Amino acid sequence: MNNSLTNTVRLLGAGLRALLALTLVTGVIYPLVITGITQALFNDKANGSEIKADGKVVGSSLIGQAYNLPLKKGQEIPEPDLKWFQGRPQNGLGTNSINTQYKLILSGATNRSADNKELIQWVKDAKAAVIKDNSVPGYTVKPSDVPADALTSSGSGLDPDISPEYADIQVHRVAARNGLSVAQVQKLVDEHTEGRALGFMGEPRVNVLELNIALMELVAKS
């Protein structure tokens, strides 16, 4: 009986020591080491790829934002603020109707098939709006000029980037709305165009938030 009790106490003691040791290693030491490495080597990515303007965090380079005018009385869908570069459509985003304590945006895709009538209408409406909004005196956007990313939502609805082609057809409108020359705005687009990752993965892209911050700074100087 005494031997059984002694063995039980010894096993419990060994288990407790193992628990404390593993808790210390995996719950304290390992997280601190990994956090230290990521902060030292990948500080920007480890902190959410934050983008700052005037010393304040205004967003993340990984999450797209909407650039809309304030809602008018009785208006349900906001109109785009055309002095800014616009991102991709966000038809897949949902709204929070359960936990209304917080103002949340639910990320998601449209989940519509290619032959879905609603999706087809969304694309037609988006194309008409892109042509109308970006055609200014002396410059007309042709239907063939409108790239696919200007008409369709991404899988998350929060794509932060647009194609250089979509940015290019917005240049004349942005220049006219902000009292800038086309050359000035086109230079901004060129400076913020990133190539394929490692030279062969993905497509060239323009981060809309970073581009609009640069635009705001250029307007402030003008």
mmCIF file with all atom_site columns, all heavy atoms in Angstrom, residues 53-65:
data_model
loop_
_atom_site.group_PDB
_atom_site.id
_atom_site.type_symbol
_atom_site.label_atom_id
_atom_site.label_alt_id
_atom_site.label_comp_id
_atom_site.label_asym_id
_atom_site.label_entity_id
_atom_site.label_seq_id
_atom_site.pdbx_PDB_ins_code
_atom_site.Cartn_x
_atom_site.Cartn_y
_atom_site.Cartn_z
_atom_site.occupancy
_atom_site.B_iso_or_equiv
_atom_site.pdbx_formal_charge
_atom_site.auth_seq_id
_atom_site.auth_comp_id
_atom_site.auth_asym_id
_atom_site.auth_atom_id
_atom_site.pdbx_PDB_model_num
ATOM 1  N N   . ALA A 1 53 ? -0.042  57.814 -42.183 1.00 0.00 ? 53 ALA A N   1
ATOM 2  C CA  . ALA A 1 53 ? -0.089  59.120 -42.837 1.00 0.00 ? 53 ALA A CA  1
ATOM 3  C C   . ALA A 1 53 ? -0.166  60.168 -41.738 1.00 0.00 ? 53 ALA A C   1
ATOM 4  O O   . ALA A 1 53 ? -0.976  60.043 -40.819 1.00 0.00 ? 53 ALA A O   1
ATOM 5  C CB  . ALA A 1 53 ? -1.291  59.230 -43.764 1.00 0.00 ? 53 ALA A CB  1
ATOM 6  N N   . ASP A 1 54 ? 0.697   61.146 -41.803 1.00 0.00 ? 54 ASP A N   1
ATOM 7  C CA  . ASP A 1 54 ? 0.769   62.186 -40.767 1.00 0.00 ? 54 ASP A CA  1
ATOM 8  C C   . ASP A 1 54 ? 0.998   61.582 -39.382 1.00 0.00 ? 54 ASP A C   1
ATOM 9  O O   . ASP A 1 54 ? 0.459   62.054 -38.380 1.00 0.00 ? 54 ASP A O   1
ATOM 10 C CB  . ASP A 1 54 ? -0.504  63.042 -40.749 1.00 0.00 ? 54 ASP A CB  1
ATOM 11 C CG  . ASP A 1 54 ? -0.700  63.809 -42.053 1.00 0.00 ? 54 ASP A CG  1
ATOM 12 O OD1 . ASP A 1 54 ? 0.312   64.193 -42.658 1.00 0.00 ? 54 ASP A OD1 1
ATOM 13 O OD2 . ASP A 1 54 ? -1.863  63.987 -42.471 1.00 0.00 ? 54 ASP A OD2 1
ATOM 14 N N   . GLY A 1 55 ? 1.776   60.495 -39.347 1.00 0.00 ? 55 GLY A N   1
ATOM 15 C CA  . GLY A 1 55 ? 2.115   59.871 -38.072 1.00 0.00 ? 55 GLY A CA  1
ATOM 16 C C   . GLY A 1 55 ? 1.032   58.987 -37.487 1.00 0.00 ? 55 GLY A C   1
ATOM 17 O O   . GLY A 1 55 ? 1.201   58.440 -36.388 1.00 0.00 ? 55 GLY A O   1
ATOM 18 N N   . LYS A 1 56 ? -0.089  58.818 -38.197 1.00 0.00 ? 56 LYS A N   1
ATOM 19 C CA  . LYS A 1 56 ? -1.193  58.000 -37.688 1.00 0.00 ? 56 LYS A CA  1
ATOM 20 C C   . LYS A 1 56 ? -1.417  56.794 -38.600 1.00 0.00 ? 56 LYS A C   1
ATOM 21 O O   . LYS A 1 56 ? -1.240  56.882 -39.811 1.00 0.00 ? 56 LYS A O   1
ATOM 22 C CB  . LYS A 1 56 ? -2.478  58.823 -37.613 1.00 0.00 ? 56 LYS A CB  1
ATOM 23 C CG  . LYS A 1 56 ? -2.412  60.013 -36.669 1.00 0.00 ? 56 LYS A CG  1
ATOM 24 C CD  . LYS A 1 56 ? -3.729  60.788 -36.682 1.00 0.00 ? 56 LYS A CD  1
ATOM 25 C CE  . LYS A 1 56 ? -3.674  61.995 -35.753 1.00 0.00 ? 56 LYS A CE  1
ATOM 26 N NZ  . LYS A 1 56 ? -4.945  62.779 -35.783 1.00 0.00 ? 56 LYS A NZ  1
ATOM 27 N N   . VAL A 1 57 ? -1.799  55.685 -38.002 1.00 0.00 ? 57 VAL A N   1
ATOM 28 C CA  . VAL A 1 57 ? -2.117  54.491 -38.784 1.00 0.00 ? 57 VAL A CA  1
ATOM 29 C C   . VAL A 1 57 ? -3.461  54.709 -39.472 1.00 0.00 ? 57 VAL A C   1
ATOM 30 O O   . VAL A 1 57 ? -4.466  54.987 -38.823 1.00 0.00 ? 57 VAL A O   1
ATOM 31 C CB  . VAL A 1 57 ? -2.184  53.241 -37.881 1.00 0.00 ? 57 VAL A CB  1
ATOM 32 C CG1 . VAL A 1 57 ? -2.619  52.029 -38.700 1.00 0.00 ? 57 VAL A CG1 1
ATOM 33 C CG2 . VAL A 1 57 ? -0.833  52.978 -37.224 1.00 0.00 ? 57 VAL A CG2 1
ATOM 34 N N   . VAL A 1 58 ? -3.471  54.593 -40.791 1.00 0.00 ? 58 VAL A N   1
ATOM 35 C CA  . VAL A 1 58 ? -4.703  54.833 -41.556 1.00 0.00 ? 58 VAL A CA  1
ATOM 36 C C   . VAL A 1 58 ? -5.215  53.562 -42.235 1.00 0.00 ? 58 VAL A C   1
ATOM 37 O O   . VAL A 1 58 ? -6.246  53.594 -42.901 1.00 0.00 ? 58 VAL A O   1
ATOM 38 C CB  . VAL A 1 58 ? -4.488  55.932 -42.613 1.00 0.00 ? 58 VAL A CB  1
ATOM 39 C CG1 . VAL A 1 58 ? -4.211  57.266 -41.948 1.00 0.00 ? 58 VAL A CG1 1
ATOM 40 C CG2 . VAL A 1 58 ? -3.346  55.558 -43.563 1.00 0.00 ? 58 VAL A CG2 1
ATOM 41 N N   . GLY A 1 59 ? -4.485  52.465 -42.075 1.00 0.00 ? 59 GLY A N   1
ATOM 42 C CA  . GLY A 1 59 ? -4.934  51.226 -42.692 1.00 0.00 ? 59 GLY A CA  1
ATOM 43 C C   . GLY A 1 59 ? -3.813  50.218 -42.788 1.00 0.00 ? 59 GLY A C   1
ATOM 44 O O   . GLY A 1 59 ? -2.732  50.401 -42.214 1.00 0.00 ? 59 GLY A O   1
ATOM 45 N N   . SER A 1 60 ? -4.073  49.169 -43.525 1.00 0.00 ? 60 SER A N   1
ATOM 46 C CA  . SER A 1 60 ? -3.095  48.109 -43.768 1.00 0.00 ? 60 SER A CA  1
ATOM 47 C C   . SER A 1 60 ? -2.926  47.931 -45.265 1.00 0.00 ? 60 SER A C   1
ATOM 48 O O   . SER A 1 60 ? -3.884  48.075 -46.034 1.00 0.00 ? 60 SER A O   1
ATOM 49 C CB  . SER A 1 60 ? -3.568  46.795 -43.139 1.00 0.00 ? 60 SER A CB  1
ATOM 50 O OG  . SER A 1 60 ? -2.778  45.698 -43.594 1.00 0.00 ? 60 SER A OG  1
ATOM 51 N N   . SER A 1 61 ? -1.719  47.603 -45.668 1.00 0.00 ? 61 SER A N   1
ATOM 52 C CA  . SER A 1 61 ? -1.474  47.381 -47.098 1.00 0.00 ? 61 SER A CA  1
ATOM 53 C C   . SER A 1 61 ? -2.111  46.083 -47.580 1.00 0.00 ? 61 SER A C   1
ATOM 54 O O   . SER A 1 61 ? -2.117  45.801 -48.772 1.00 0.00 ? 61 SER A O   1
ATOM 55 C CB  . SER A 1 61 ? 0.037   47.330 -47.366 1.00 0.00 ? 61 SER A CB  1
ATOM 56 O OG  . SER A 1 61 ? 0.641   46.234 -46.681 1.00 0.00 ? 61 SER A OG  1
ATOM 57 N N   . LEU A 1 62 ? -2.674  45.304 -46.652 1.00 0.00 ? 62 LEU A N   1
ATOM 58 C CA  . LEU A 1 62 ? -3.280  44.021 -47.001 1.00 0.00 ? 62 LEU A CA  1
ATOM 59 C C   . LEU A 1 62 ? -4.798  44.086 -47.105 1.00 0.00 ? 62 LEU A C   1
ATOM 60 O O   . LEU A 1 62 ? -5.420  43.114 -47.531 1.00 0.00 ? 62 LEU A O   1
ATOM 61 C CB  . LEU A 1 62 ? -2.904  42.962 -45.948 1.00 0.00 ? 62 LEU A CB  1
ATOM 62 C CG  . LEU A 1 62 ? -1.412  42.742 -45.709 1.00 0.00 ? 62 LEU A CG  1
ATOM 63 C CD1 . LEU A 1 62 ? -1.208  41.729 -44.595 1.00 0.00 ? 62 LEU A CD1 1
ATOM 64 C CD2 . LEU A 1 62 ? -0.726  42.277 -46.986 1.00 0.00 ? 62 LEU A CD2 1
ATOM 65 N N   . ILE A 1 63 ? -5.399  45.214 -46.704 1.00 0.00 ? 63 ILE A N   1
ATOM 66 C CA  . ILE A 1 63 ? -6.858  45.306 -46.662 1.00 0.00 ? 63 ILE A CA  1
ATOM 67 C C   . ILE A 1 63 ? -7.328  46.522 -47.460 1.00 0.00 ? 63 ILE A C   1
ATOM 68 O O   . ILE A 1 63 ? -6.925  47.648 -47.189 1.00 0.00 ? 63 ILE A O   1
ATOM 69 C CB  . ILE A 1 63 ? -7.369  45.423 -45.213 1.00 0.00 ? 63 ILE A CB  1
ATOM 70 C CG1 . ILE A 1 63 ? -6.925  44.190 -44.407 1.00 0.00 ? 63 ILE A CG1 1
ATOM 71 C CG2 . ILE A 1 63 ? -8.882  45.547 -45.181 1.00 0.00 ? 63 ILE A CG2 1
ATOM 72 C CD1 . ILE A 1 63 ? -7.301  44.240 -42.953 1.00 0.00 ? 63 ILE A CD1 1
ATOM 73 N N   . GLY A 1 64 ? -8.179  46.281 -48.423 1.00 0.00 ? 64 GLY A N   1
ATOM 74 C CA  . GLY A 1 64 ? -8.707  47.367 -49.243 1.00 0.00 ? 64 GLY A CA  1
ATOM 75 C C   . GLY A 1 64 ? -9.706  48.223 -48.495 1.00 0.00 ? 64 GLY A C   1
ATOM 76 O O   . GLY A 1 64 ? -10.371 47.759 -47.562 1.00 0.00 ? 64 GLY A O   1
ATOM 77 N N   . GLN A 1 65 ? -9.818  49.468 -48.907 1.00 0.00 ? 65 GLN A N   1
ATOM 78 C CA  . GLN A 1 65 ? -10.760 50.393 -48.292 1.00 0.00 ? 65 GLN A CA  1
ATOM 79 C C   . GLN A 1 65 ? -11.669 50.984 -49.369 1.00 0.00 ? 65 GLN A C   1
ATOM 80 O O   . GLN A 1 65 ? -11.338 50.980 -50.556 1.00 0.00 ? 65 GLN A O   1
ATOM 81 C CB  . GLN A 1 65 ? -10.020 51.535 -47.582 1.00 0.00 ? 65 GLN A CB  1
ATOM 82 C CG  . GLN A 1 65 ? -9.124  51.094 -46.449 1.00 0.00 ? 65 GLN A CG  1
ATOM 83 C CD  . GLN A 1 65 ? -8.527  52.270 -45.683 1.00 0.00 ? 65 GLN A CD  1
ATOM 84 O OE1 . GLN A 1 65 ? -9.042  53.376 -45.748 1.00 0.00 ? 65 GLN A OE1 1
ATOM 85 N NE2 . GLN A 1 65 ? -7.443  52.031 -44.975 1.00 0.00 ? 65 GLN A NE2 1
#
